[in-house]
């Protein structure tokens, strides 16, 4: 009838239970609060760590730029030592014996001695001291700002550069003793298979290198850095000196091209002259005056003359013979009309009048004149079906209409050719359909797209950054094969590998972007003209014929692998790239 009255002990138990629950809840809240504080602390620490890492990366980049400046400066001082203490000192010593005038040596080397003294005794020691103290004094702008005004001495060297090149050429030809000394020093290992002219260009190239490194240094340097104002000050001084150097570099590149033409023409006089400037060169057809035939020729157009040349079948040495020089002054060019030979024009000068035809392919010309025959050694596959040739089942044949090298299946057609009195001649399948008017052979059949490799080597070689033969291998255990390599202008980041200069299909392509370029060191297994392209486990090994050819390839590839547009280089094998020859070779 009555509810039980709680005892004192039960009341204490209830209170204890309630206190425990309150304490547990408080502990949970405290734990959650601590976790939140830990997360906030962690986020703050991460932000601090991130900022610290970014600062470390910036400092590391600045250190790398400063290290590159020091390393290149050491190499540069070594080259200056070669110029001043080896070439100049040896020639001065011999000139003192009366072999040739001392003034000639002074005229060639100008103030290279002062430049060598400045870099070896001032700039290089200061850079070495600063890099050894980089942890406490991480800056280079103050050193360059202090010493940059001395770079104005390069103005005298650059101004004298053209005259020095002229003197060097004159006395190399005039004095046997002078030439012997130059050749003797150039044969030494310290020269690295480079000529005196190449080493003399280094002082001209050095100032633009300072400008490039300083610009990169300023990009990585914070605006509030105490070294920023000094770096900008030195950059302004160096940029002014670099402007003069760039002009000399362009002249030197033109001089190199003139030297190449001089060799191609078998030592034609007056070619290597700083006043000469090559404007254009290329293959052309010459129309005969007494009949309706045409002959393959080659033109070199300079600012002051036009050289009309006959190609020679030669892979080395002289490639052309100069038939006529036409002075640009007073020369007239007229476009002419010829139904049988379109794209013709007339060049008229004091010395001679030439009627020429551009070698532009046209269906209207097919069969009207004898074609230029592609040489057998310029292809490794049928130029129509792209099947590789072999001496037994797939031999080489020539189409009498287009001159292409094709297999027996692709040449099993006959058509009348106008240039041969409308007689039936063996032609390829495409020319047969064009000449007979039965179908348009160049229209795609069944909508099939061309593969990435189905690009003619001659097509891309004529419009490329660089092309030429290289030895190639992907495995050290396998022998190298000689391949025709092309980096086309329409696809500057891809290297195409062909079996020969006139192949219509590439063997493979190498997308250059992202590859590492390794300059292989001299060893028993690798000649000094070798280099490699590496990416992950993919390795491509190349070997050039000469050190100069290797440097040309490296100059283009170094740009392509980082996604930059390369500069056009002189073709390595002009005669093969253009198919230059005289007359029509025998063929089946």
């Amino acid at each position: 009838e009555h509810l039980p009255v709680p005892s004192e002990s039960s009341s204490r138990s209830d209170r204890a239970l309630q206190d425990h629950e309150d304490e547990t809840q408080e502990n949970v809240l405290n734990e959650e609060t601590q976790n939140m504080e830990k997360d906030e602390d962690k986020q703050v620490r991460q932000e601090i760590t991130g900022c610290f890492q970014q600062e470390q990366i910036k400092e590391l980049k600045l250190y790398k730029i400063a290290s590159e400046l020091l390393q290149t400066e050491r190499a540069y001082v070594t080259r200056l030592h070669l110029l001043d203490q080896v070439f100049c000192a040896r020639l001065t010593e011999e000139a003192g014996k009366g072999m040739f005038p001392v003034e000639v040596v002074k005229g060639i080397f100008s103030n290279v001695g002062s430049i060598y003294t400045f870099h070896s005794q001032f700039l290089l020691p200061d850079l070495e001291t600063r890099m050894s103290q980089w942890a406490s004094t991480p800056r280079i702008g103050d050193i360059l700002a202090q010493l940059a005004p001395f770079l104005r001495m390069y103005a005298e060297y650059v101004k004298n550069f053209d005259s020095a090149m002229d003197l060097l050429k004159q006395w190399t030809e005039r004095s046997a003793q002078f030439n012997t000394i130059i050749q003797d020093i150039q044969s030494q290992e310290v020269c690295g298979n480079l000529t005196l002219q190449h080493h003399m260009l280094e002082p001209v190239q050095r100032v633009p290198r300072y400008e490039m490194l300083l610009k990169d240094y300023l990009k990585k340097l914070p605006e509030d850095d105490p070294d920023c104002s000094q770096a900008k000050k030195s950059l302004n001084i160096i940029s002014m000196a670099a402007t003069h150097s760039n002009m000399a570099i362009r002249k030197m590149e033109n001089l190199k091209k003139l030297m190449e033409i001089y060799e191609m023409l078998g030592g034609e006089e007056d070619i290597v002259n700083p006043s000469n400037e090559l404007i254009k060169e290329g293959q052309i057809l010459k129309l005969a005056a007494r009949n309706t035939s045409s002959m393959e020729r080659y033109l070199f157009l300079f600012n002051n003359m036009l050289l009309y040349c006959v190609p020679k079948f030669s892979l080395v040495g002289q490639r052309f013979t100069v038939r006529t020089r036409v002075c640009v002054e007073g020369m007239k060019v007229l476009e002419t009309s010829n139904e049988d030979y379109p794209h013709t024009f007339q060049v008229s000068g004091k010395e001679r009048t030439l009627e020429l035809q551009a070698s532009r392919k046209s269906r209207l010309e097919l069969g009207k004149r004898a074609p230029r025959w592609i040489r057998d050694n310029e292809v490794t596959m049928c130029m129509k079906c792209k099947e590789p040739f072999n001496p037994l089942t797939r031999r080489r044949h020539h189409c009498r209409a287009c001159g292409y090298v094709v297999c027996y299946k692709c040449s099993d057609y006959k058509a009348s050719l106008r240039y041969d009195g409308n007689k039936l001649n063996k032609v390829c399948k495409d020319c047969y359909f064009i000449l007979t008017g039965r179908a348009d052979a160049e229209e795609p059949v069944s909508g099939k797209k061309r593969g990435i490799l189905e690009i003619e080597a001659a097509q891309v070689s004529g419009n490329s950054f660089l092309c030429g033969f290289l030895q190639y291998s992907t495995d050290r255990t396998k022998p190298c094969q000689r391949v025709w390599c092309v980096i086309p202008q329409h696809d500057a980041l891809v290297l195409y590998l062909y079996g020969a200069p006139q192949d219509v299909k590439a063997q493979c392509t190498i997308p250059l972007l992202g590859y590492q370029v390794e300059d292989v060191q001299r060893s028993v297994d690798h000649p000094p003209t070798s280099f490699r392209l590496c990416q992950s486990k993919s390795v491509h090994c190349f070997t050039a014929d000469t050190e100069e050819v290797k440097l040309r390839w490296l100059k283009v590839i170094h740009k392509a692998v980082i996604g930059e547009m390369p500069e056009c280089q002189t073709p390595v094998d002009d005669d093969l790239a253009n198919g230059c020859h005289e007359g029509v070779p025998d063929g089946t």
Side-chain angles (χ1 to χ4, degrees):
E1 295 179 1
H2 298 282
L3 292 171
V5 178
S7 64
E8 184 178 352
S9 61
S10 64
S11 297
R12 286 198 301 269
S13 176
D14 292 341
R15 284 197 301 272
L17 179 62
Q18 183 65 39
D19 291 342
H20 176 70
E21 290 177 353
D22 292 343
E23 184 180 355
T24 302
Q25 186 174 4
E26 184 179 356
N27 291 336
V28 171
L29 290 173
N30 288 336
E31 185 178 353
E32 289 178 352
T33 302
Q34 290 176 359
N35 290 335
M36 290 176 65
E37 291 175 351
K38 288 180 180 178
D39 291 340
E40 291 177 357
D41 291 343
K42 183 179 180 180
Q43 184 177 357
V44 171
R45 285 196 301 271
Q46 287 177 344
E47 291 177 356
I48 294 174
T49 303
C51 294
F52 181 70
Q53 288 176 344
Q54 289 179 357
E55 289 298 322
Q56 282 186 319
I57 292 173
K58 288 182 180 179
E59 291 177 3
L60 180 61
K61 289 181 177 179
L62 291 172
Y63 176 76
K64 286 184 176 180
I65 294 171
S67 296
E68 183 180 356
L69 176 61
L70 176 60
Q71 292 168 6
T72 56
E73 186 69 15
R74 285 172 177 162
Y76 178 54
V77 169
T78 301
R79 296 303 179 193
L80 288 176
H81 179 273
L82 177 65
L83 284 174
D84 185 55
Q85 300 297 308
V86 181
F87 276 107
C88 184
R90 177 85 179 275
L91 288 170
T92 302
E93 180 183 354
E94 295 298 322
K97 299 176 183 179
M99 296 293 183
F100 37 82
V102 178
E103 289 73 18
V104 172
V105 182
K106 292 180 180 179
I108 292 174
F109 293 95
S110 183
N111 61 333
V112 71
S114 302
I115 294 174
Y116 172 60
T117 301
F118 165 71
H119 286 272
S120 62
Q121 297 183 17
F122 295 93
L123 183 53
L124 179 58
D126 283 1
L127 288 175
E128 288 178 329
T129 303
R130 176 54 53 83
M131 292 307 296
S132 66
Q133 302 170 348
W134 186 264
S136 60
T137 317
R139 63 186 65 173
I140 56 173
D142 56 337
I143 292 178
L144 294 176
Q146 180 182 357
L147 298 178
F150 290 93
L151 295 179
R152 291 169 180 164
M153 69 175 69
Y154 278 84
E156 180 181 345
Y157 185 89
V158 172
K159 184 179 179 181
N160 183 68
F161 190 78
D162 287 348
S163 175
M165 291 295 102
D166 284 342
L167 278 173
L168 182 58
K169 178 179 179 296
Q170 291 174 13
W171 283 91
T172 300
E173 297 174 351
R174 182 183 300 180
S175 171
Q177 295 91 340
F178 186 94
N179 184 51
T180 300
I181 295 170
I182 299 294
Q183 295 298 326
D184 179 55
I185 299 175
Q186 288 179 168
S187 64
Q188 298 176 16
E189 187 175 355
V190 67
C191 280
N193 294 322
L194 296 177
T195 63
L196 173 56
Q197 288 90 334
H198 282 88
H199 292 299
M200 290 185 67
L201 184 60
E202 291 212 22
V204 179
Q205 295 172 325
R206 186 58 185 166
V207 177
R209 184 67 181 272
Y210 290 135
E211 182 183 30
M212 180 188 69
L213 288 172
L214 256 180
K215 285 181 179 179
D216 200 17
Y217 180 75
L218 278 168
K219 287 180 182 178
K220 309 295 188 300
L221 196 66
E223 285 291 336
D224 57 350
D225 192 282
D227 198 32
C228 192
S229 60
Q230 295 293 323
K232 288 182 178 179
K233 178 182 176 182
S234 57
L235 178 60
N236 290 334
I237 300 173
I238 292 173
S239 295
M240 294 178 63
T243 302
H244 299 287
S245 298
N246 288 330
M247 294 174 61
I249 290 174
R250 286 193 292 270
K251 290 182 178 180
M252 184 60 183
E253 289 175 348
N254 179 61
L255 202 61
K256 285 182 180 178
K257 182 60 182 177
L258 295 178
M259 283 294 298
E260 292 172 1
I261 297 174
Y262 175 81
E263 293 173 358
M264 286 192 290
L265 300 180
E268 184 72 13
E269 60 179 352
D270 299 334
I271 296 297
V272 184
N273 190 319
S275 64
N276 290 345
E277 181 180 353
L278 179 68
I279 298 174
K280 191 173 181 60
E281 64 172 294
Q283 181 180 314
I284 202 78
L285 293 172
K286 164 68 171 62
L287 299 184
R290 299 181 180 179
N291 52 53
T292 58
S293 64
S294 59
M295 299 159 286
E296 192 172 286
R297 296 291 183 260
Y298 204 88
L299 299 181
F300 292 96
L301 177 61
F302 296 89
N303 57 323
N304 56 352
M305 61 182 168
L306 173 70
L307 299 185
Y308 169 71
C309 308
V310 177
K312 296 186 65 177
F313 183 68
S314 174
L315 299 181
V316 294
Q318 184 178 357
R319 300 179 185 177
F320 304 99
T321 300
V322 178
R323 282 284 181 86
T324 304
R325 286 189 179 209
V326 180
C327 184
V328 169
E329 185 179 357
M331 185 174 68
K332 296 181 180 180
V333 181
L334 300 174
E335 186 176 356
T336 57
S337 177
N338 192 319
E339 294 182 359
D340 295 331
Y341 298 90
H343 321 303
T344 57
F345 60 97
Q346 190 179 80
V347 176
S348 179
K350 299 177 182 178
E351 298 81 4
R352 186 175 175 182
T353 297
L354 304 169
E355 189 171 4
L356 306 171
Q357 179 190 19
S359 57
R360 181 179 173 183
K361 291 184 178 180
S362 171
R363 294 187 182 188
L364 297 175
E365 303 172 37
L366 197 65
K368 293 183 179 180
R369 63 179 180 85
R372 182 187 79 81
W373 281 32
I374 304 297
R375 295 194 292 269
D376 288 350
N377 64 351
E378 293 182 51
V379 292
T380 62
M381 63 182 67
C382 174
M383 299 180 72
K384 295 300 178 180
C385 71
K386 304 176 181 62
E387 290 294 325
F389 290 122
N390 62 69
L392 296 178
T393 60
R394 196 174 294 275
R395 300 178 61 186
R396 291 170 168 82
H397 300 265
H398 276 90
C399 171
R400 267 59 174 179
C402 65
Y404 277 20
V405 184
V406 293
C407 66
Y408 73 97
K409 287 185 178 180
C410 294
S411 64
D412 195 20
Y413 298 86
K414 288 188 176 182
S416 59
L417 301 178
R418 182 173 173 181
Y419 77 84
D420 194 25
N422 290 323
K423 295 180 182 178
L424 289 177
N425 280 269
K426 181 180 289 189
V427 297
C428 68
K429 181 179 179 180
D430 290 355
C431 290
Y432 172 77
F433 284 127
I434 294 173
L435 291 168
T436 58
R438 295 190 179 185
D440 188 345
E442 292 187 1
E443 288 184 356
V445 180
S446 69
K448 182 180 179 181
K449 295 183 179 179
R450 294 176 64 185
I452 190 173
L453 301 178
E454 296 182 19
I455 301 178
E456 295 184 18
Q459 177 185 343
V460 292
S461 298
N463 192 25
S464 64
F465 289 106
L466 186 60
C467 61
F469 278 114
L470 292 172
Q471 297 290 338
Y472 170 69
S473 175
T474 56
D475 190 345
R476 294 182 182 178
T477 61
K478 295 181 180 180
C480 294
Q481 65 174 125
R482 189 171 172 84
V483 295
W484 180 260
C485 302
V486 185
I487 298 181
Q489 292 188 18
H490 78 277
D491 201 357
L493 306 183
V494 178
L495 174 62
Y496 286 76
L497 274 60
Y498 294 88
Q502 293 288 348
D503 276 358
V504 292
K505 181 180 179 182
Q507 295 180 355
C508 67
T509 60
I510 302 175
L512 297 173
L513 188 62
Y515 268 86
Q516 296 292 324
V517 187
E518 296 183 1
D519 190 350
V520 181
Q521 299 298 319
R522 183 194 300 266
S523 66
V524 177
D525 298 328
H526 298 287
T529 57
S530 298
F531 63 93
R532 284 198 298 255
L533 296 176
C534 304
Q535 187 181 67
S536 185
K537 296 182 180 180
S538 177
V539 179
H540 303 274
C541 304
F542 297 90
T543 302
D545 291 337
T546 65
E547 184 76 16
E548 183 180 359
V549 172
K550 169 189 169 181
L551 292 176
R552 289 182 188 173
W553 280 104
L554 289 180
K555 185 176 181 181
V556 175
I557 292 175
H558 273 303
K559 291 276 190 179
V561 296
I562 59 175
E564 293 185 4
M565 190 66 69
E567 298 177 0
C568 289
Q569 302 290 301
T570 304
V572 178
D573 289 272
D574 287 324
D575 54 337
L576 288 177
N578 295 311
C580 298
H581 66 286
E582 187 168 13
V584 178
D586 295 333
T588 57

